[in-house]
Amino acid sequence: MIQEGAILTSLHCFHCGEEIISRGIFVSGDREFCCAGCKTVHDILHEHQLGNYYQYNKVPGKTQKAAGNNYEYLDLEDIIVQLLDYRDERTGIVTFYIPAVHCSSCIWLLEHLYQLHPGVQKSRIDFLKKQVSVNFDIRKISLRELVELLTSVGYEPLISLNDVVKKSKAERTESGLAARIAVAGFCFGNVMLLSFPDYFGLSQLESEYSRFFGLLNLAFCVPAAFYSGKDYFFSAWNNLRAGRLNLDFPLALGIAVMFIRTAYEVLLQTGAGFADTLCGLVFFLLVGRWMQQRTFHHISFERDYRSYFPVAVTRIEGSGERPVPLAELKQGDRIRVRCQEIIPADAILLKGDGEIDFSFVTGESEPVKKILGEVVYAGGRQLGSALEMEVLKPVSQSYLTQLWNNEAFARNKPHIRTFSDTASKYFSIVLLLIAFGSAGFWLINHQSDKALAAFTAVLIIACPCALALSSPFTLAAVTGIFDRNKFYLKNTAVVEQLARIDTFVFDKTGTITSPEGANLRFTGSIDEEQRQWISDLCRNSGHPLSRELVRQLGLPLRYRAEQYTEKIGRGISGMVNGNHVKLGSSAFLGLPLVDSSEHSSVHVMVNDHYLGSFIIHQQWRSGFKDLLLRLGTWADLHLLSGDQDRDKQQLVPYFESARKMHFGQSPQDKLDYIAALQQNGNKVLMFGDGLNDSGALKQSDLGVAVTDNINNFSPGCEAILDGASFGKIPQFIQQAKDAVKIIHMSFGISLSYNAVGLYFATQGLLSPLLAAILMPLSTITIISFTTVAARMYARKNHLL
């Protein structure tokens, strides 16, 4: 037995940095660890001369307390084929998403995997995407052994049905955009260099070089306009066919006119053309588009139940069992579901005591006890011992997947209409009126040359480059500020949508409640030694209330529990330091008491003597009450919870009416409630955290998933909010509204530049030099203004 005085709780694990509760248990040399997993990883690394892992960063590893998965399913050929990027007779290539990647030590270790096993040929890591690509010899190491190798050193891959590593259309689009930016930048730089003689009036001195340089500039314009700028032509044409005028129409028109006029002047030797302006315009526009499409590679906003379910399940066949892909599961199959595993399909419980955590599916925070012969719906997590079940329906027809058959999931959300979309319609009409008006004026005055020059000059100088850049650079700056504060957006358009929200709907369990913030108090009489016995007994249970008691008591392990027994859903008992300790419900302890429905109670009995009970009140997230008070002054607030109404009285003061608080809501109820609010003209933002909120998040105008770990599963949404930043929601909303103000102001600045240019353009006096000055000057002004203004507002909103 370790004496209390010998325990140094301030010591931290050499591998992961977590606090060591019990000294002297996991030791290697002069180094101590919090668990056997961390010590094992340390020993493996030193055995293979990879000790430098600990030199790049202090405590670079992740805790291994929860490590230990079953990877038998990775021996199945069907799954191997789906996961491998390439395979021949000798070599396999696979890409894994590894959430634990976080520092330079991770990069170093994952790129030295070949030192851990001779079957690994090479490995390369993409730090931003948290992905590692491994080439391995399939004759020396299997896919399963490779995953087990990664797990053994603390880098367990995340493998799900909805595989996050496979390249998406968005990723391919982004790589194509990068290539177009590179081509436009190359052309822009060379054209600027070749145009210097024209800028300084030297073209007349070297006329033979002037024509050659002009032809080179025209050649550079071809890829810039028709490769890098092709998307603007396609977009403008498609929108015109649909009867719409978007911002790409005047941009495409400006690019086309600049190219035609440049070709005309260069080939006929009447001028230098506008090659530099054209290439610069395309380059800056594409940079703005790249900023607008920026996203977070390591976060998925499009998850559904396939990301939550396991890849394979254990099927019982005769006297044995084997893993099978989830898609092969059919009605009548018998399956084994072990502790902490997800129930993959609707099934009947045949053997075992079911204590199912449905909080992620229904929102009910209390585990549900299931008896033999009872139907258990898919999506719940078994908390007790292993179960034997018979499948009633295949995965595709289960209760959980019915939610994804709703039309809310079949349709795509409407395109978020931004300020640029609205302004571009009127801008295009006014631009064409001015262009044709200028041409008409000079034609009336019988000056056809000036009419053509004025018409093309208006289209060139009024090309809305600055307007097209104001939104993406402003919104990208705001997105970066949100990112710093752990609020991750699917795309930049979400910022403008956030500014329009007038109705907020909150889920309760896991969204406004803190998973690690329960308030504990004891009613009765208990001393410190008895608290120690209770803590040591609870360490043997995986029940949420037992884990919460251990966390709240905060006592190190001192005694080993003997004769330990657990009755699922009722309580636990055992001998601790020679004392018989029982914890659980009043019925389990044989007490004539009725447990309260307003909070969780754990009754305590030692040596058949009743000591009292622990009362556990659910704790709200930090800043939650202040958040509701601030939002309630101008917005409509609602609560939708799958949980029971035990916390209703605590929440009543923070909502305008009890009629806006709804408990016991099914996923379909939540979705229908959001739709009803929208029919009344409300712009609805939904905060949720589980599968039960997925329909409501999809239906709402803006869905925000709240999570305490962005690498964990979160339902499909437009934004992901780290629980630590939950209290900053009003600041995020105000920053979004300020961003819209900045866009309006930058639009005014761009119009002032256009007004100066139009003064010369309508008179047919626009020179290539003036265009070359105004275009980059307006661009630099807009980029500088939006960046500085966004940061100023962020400081005002206390986000920087």
Side-chain angles (χ1 to χ4, degrees):
M1 182 180 69
I2 300 173
Q3 297 299 318
E4 186 174 357
I7 296 173
L8 300 176
T9 57
S10 61
L11 188 68
H12 292 83
C13 177
F14 180 78
H15 177 74
C16 71
E18 285 206 2
E19 185 177 334
I20 298 176
I21 295 177
S22 302
R23 289 287 305 274
I25 298 179
F26 306 108
V27 180
S28 179
D30 60 346
R31 297 166 179 174
E32 291 201 43
F33 305 89
C34 65
C35 63
C38 286
K39 179 180 179 297
T40 301
V41 172
H42 171 272
D43 293 345
I44 290 173
L45 294 180
H46 275 271
E47 181 184 344
H48 292 84
Q49 289 77 49
L50 293 173
N52 287 341
Y53 173 72
Y54 296 101
Q55 296 182 7
Y56 294 100
N57 292 273
K58 187 177 181 181
V59 292
K62 294 289 186 180
T63 181
Q64 300 301 300
K65 289 179 181 178
N69 273 337
N70 182 6
Y71 296 110
E72 291 181 11
Y73 65 88
L74 291 177
D75 290 329
L76 300 176
E77 183 63 24
D78 290 347
I79 292 177
I80 293 174
V81 169
Q82 294 180 52
L83 291 177
L84 289 183
D85 300 327
Y86 169 81
R87 182 174 65 173
D88 58 26
E89 293 80 6
R90 289 193 266 181
T91 303
I93 301 176
V94 65
T95 305
F96 291 123
Y97 171 63
I98 302 181
V101 171
H102 68 289
C103 68
S104 56
S105 291
C106 304
I107 299 174
W108 182 86
L109 178 59
L110 290 172
E111 293 195 346
H112 286 77
L113 289 177
Y114 62 88
Q115 291 184 231
L116 292 174
H117 196 289
V120 177
Q121 297 169 340
K122 67 176 181 178
S123 53
R124 290 291 179 268
I125 187 168
D126 186 326
F127 182 73
L128 292 178
K129 297 181 182 180
K130 297 192 175 187
Q131 293 180 7
V132 61
S133 178
V134 183
N135 292 38
F136 62 101
D137 189 331
I138 60 177
R139 299 169 301 174
K140 297 179 180 179
I141 184 172
S142 66
L143 180 63
R144 174 183 174 181
E145 291 170 336
L146 178 60
V147 172
E148 290 174 342
L149 174 66
L150 286 166
T151 303
S152 71
V153 293
Y155 292 94
E156 180 181 5
L158 177 62
I159 304 173
S160 68
L161 286 176
N162 193 15
D163 192 7
V164 298
V165 195
K166 301 304 180 185
K167 289 189 175 181
S168 65
K169 181 179 178 181
E171 288 177 324
R172 293 193 296 270
T173 301
E174 186 172 325
S175 63
L177 179 59
R180 292 196 295 275
I181 291 174
V183 170
F186 174 79
C187 295
F188 180 41
N190 281 279
V191 167
M192 289 287 288
L193 181 64
L194 295 171
S195 298
F196 267 101
D198 292 308
Y199 296 156
F200 295 103
L202 302 177
S203 58
Q204 299 300 322
L205 299 178
E206 302 288 348
S207 58
E208 65 274 16
Y209 291 113
S210 175
R211 176 172 173 78
F212 177 66
F213 287 169
L215 291 172
L216 281 178
N217 283 345
L218 181 60
F220 282 122
C221 285
V222 174
F226 301 111
Y227 170 70
S228 296
K230 63 181 180 180
D231 285 351
Y232 295 100
F233 293 105
F234 291 144
S235 175
W237 174 246
N238 290 333
N239 278 278
L240 280 175
R241 290 177 62 186
R244 296 188 299 265
L245 283 177
N246 67 341
L247 196 59
D248 289 341
F249 172 73
L251 290 172
L253 189 60
I255 293 171
V257 169
M258 275 188 274
F259 180 81
I260 293 170
R261 185 159 169 179
T262 299
Y264 175 82
E265 292 187 6
V266 169
L267 294 176
L268 298 182
Q269 301 184 46
T270 60
F274 297 86
D276 49 356
T277 305
L278 186 157
C279 294
L281 171 68
V282 174
F283 174 70
F284 285 116
L285 287 174
L286 291 176
V287 170
R289 177 166 288 187
W290 178 81
M291 296 285 288
Q292 199 167 16
Q293 292 182 358
R294 194 188 77 153
T295 186
F296 304 95
H297 296 291
H298 62 289
I299 302 176
S300 174
F301 295 92
E302 300 292 350
R303 291 166 171 165
D304 60 19
Y305 68 94
R306 291 172 297 177
S307 300
Y308 182 60
F309 275 5
V311 175
V313 65
T314 303
R315 184 166 66 190
I316 300 172
E317 298 179 349
S319 58
E321 55 185 49
R322 71 180 185 91
V324 295
L326 201 61
E328 293 184 10
L329 207 59
K330 59 184 183 296
Q331 183 178 353
D333 283 350
R334 291 199 171 194
I335 59 174
R336 177 93 59 202
V337 178
R338 299 179 177 87
C339 181
Q340 295 298 319
E341 289 186 349
I342 302 295
I343 297 169
D346 298 349
I348 295 177
L349 180 58
L350 300 179
K351 290 182 182 179
D353 295 319
E355 187 183 15
I356 317 296
D357 177 9
F358 282 110
S359 60
F360 212 71
V361 178
T362 66
E364 172 57 60
S365 57
E366 294 292 329
V368 178
K369 183 180 179 182
K370 294 292 183 178
I371 61 175
L372 300 183
E374 195 168 356
V375 175
V376 183
Y377 291 110
R381 185 185 297 275
Q382 166 66 352
L383 300 179
S385 56
L387 305 176
E388 185 175 326
M389 314 181 79
E390 181 177 323
V391 175
L392 289 177
K393 298 177 182 177
V395 177
S396 60
Q397 298 176 19
S398 68
Y399 164 79
L400 183 62
T401 55
Q402 287 178 11
L403 180 62
W404 269 264
N405 294 327
N406 189 284
E407 61 180 13
F409 290 90
R411 64 175 176 84
N412 291 320
K413 277 192 176 181
H415 169 71
I416 298 176
R417 191 164 184 81
T418 64
F419 172 75
S420 295
D421 294 333
T422 305
S424 62
K425 177 181 178 181
Y426 302 102
F427 185 92
S428 301
I429 294 172
V430 172
L431 173 63
L432 291 174
L433 288 175
I434 295 175
F436 282 109
S438 300
F441 173 82
W442 292 112
L443 285 173
I444 292 173
N445 289 277
H446 307 291
Q447 297 187 46
S448 56
D449 290 342
K450 270 202 169 185
L452 181 61
F455 179 78
T456 55
V458 167
L459 296 178
I460 291 171
I461 200 62
C463 181
C465 174
L467 174 61
L469 293 177
S470 61
S471 286
F473 275 91
T474 300
L475 299 178
V478 172
T479 302
I481 292 165
F482 286 176
D483 176 26
R484 281 178 149 191
N485 289 273
K486 300 182 179 181
F487 186 32
Y488 310 97
L489 308 185
K490 182 178 180 180
N491 54 56
T492 55
V494 174
V495 176
E496 290 195 55
Q497 186 74 325
L498 180 61
R500 301 187 186 107
I501 297 298
D502 56 24
T503 302
F504 297 87
V505 180
F506 296 88
D507 171 50
K508 185 176 80 72
T509 305
T511 301
I512 65 175
T513 60
S514 175
E516 297 182 355
N519 183 25
L520 177 71
R521 63 183 177 88
F522 185 81
T523 59
S525 176
I526 189 172
D527 59 33
E528 283 302 313
E529 185 67 9
Q530 290 167 336
R531 284 175 176 265
Q532 182 70 57
W533 301 341
I534 293 168
S535 175
D536 292 345
L537 181 66
C538 287
R539 287 179 183 275
N540 295 272
S541 173
H543 193 282
L545 289 180
S546 298
R547 295 198 300 266
E548 185 62 29
L549 274 175
V550 172
R551 194 185 70 83
Q552 292 275 358
L553 290 172
L555 297 172
L557 175 67
R558 190 192 298 180
Y559 305 112
R560 183 181 299 277
E562 299 175 346
Q563 301 175 28
Y564 175 80
T565 58
E566 180 169 357
K567 299 295 184 182
I568 302 299
R570 299 178 62 196
I572 59 177
S573 64
M575 298 297 294
V576 183
N577 194 29
N579 297 277
H580 187 233
V581 182
K582 292 182 71 176
L583 304 174
S585 65
S586 57
F588 178 67
L589 270 63
L591 301 172
L593 301 173
V594 178
D595 292 327
S596 172
S597 62
E598 297 183 0
H599 50 70
S600 298
S601 301
V602 179
H603 297 274
V604 181
M605 184 176 286
V606 176
N607 298 324
D608 297 326
H609 176 65
Y610 180 67
L611 301 182
S613 63
F614 287 100
I615 308 298
I616 301 178
H617 289 279
Q618 182 61 61
Q619 189 75 11
W620 311 116
R621 286 191 183 274
S622 176
F624 164 66
K625 295 180 180 179
D626 181 59
L627 163 67
L628 289 189
L629 291 175
R630 291 175 64 181
L631 292 180
T633 59
W634 61 271
D636 195 15
L637 306 181
H638 301 258
L639 179 73
L640 296 178
S641 175
D643 209 345
Q644 300 306 308
D645 61 356
R646 62 176 68 91
D647 297 312
K648 184 174 183 178
Q649 294 305 314
Q650 296 183 53
L651 293 168
V652 165
Y654 305 102
F655 288 87
E656 181 183 355
S657 169
R659 292 180 311 219
K660 295 183 178 180
M661 300 167 57
H662 302 273
F663 297 87
Q665 298 290 292
S666 70
Q668 186 64 48
D669 292 336
K670 292 184 177 184
L671 191 154
D672 294 339
Y673 190 87
I674 297 292
L677 290 174
Q678 291 172 321
Q679 288 175 2
N680 292 330
N682 298 55
K683 290 290 184 181
V684 183
L685 186 152
M686 172 72 189
F687 290 103
D689 75 308
L691 287 174
N692 61 310
D693 302 314
S694 296
L697 289 168
K698 186 75 173 179
Q699 179 65 42
S700 63
D701 296 285
L702 185 59
V704 178
V706 181
T707 178
D708 291 279
N709 184 344
I710 61 170
N711 293 319
N712 288 346
F713 175 87
S714 57
C717 55
E718 282 73 51
I720 295 177
L721 175 66
D722 192 299
S725 298
F726 190 75
K728 296 181 180 180
I729 290 171
Q731 295 154 259
F732 293 137
I733 296 168
Q734 185 57 51
Q735 183 71 22
K737 293 180 177 180
D738 291 336
V740 175
K741 293 179 187 175
I742 295 171
I743 293 172
H744 292 169
M745 289 187 284
S746 60
F747 180 62
I749 294 172
S750 68
L751 286 181
S752 65
Y753 276 102
N754 283 346
V756 173
L758 285 173
Y759 172 77
F760 295 97
T762 53
Q763 300 177 68
L765 301 176
L766 180 68
S767 68
L769 180 60
L770 181 60
I773 293 173
L774 279 178
M775 194 279 293
L777 185 61
S778 63
T779 300
I780 293 170
T781 302
I782 290 298
I783 293 173
S784 302
F785 171 75
T786 55
T787 303
V788 171
R791 293 182 65 84
M792 287 178 60
Y793 276 116
R795 288 192 179 92
K796 184 197 77 170
N797 295 323
H798 306 291
L799 292 175
L800 282 181

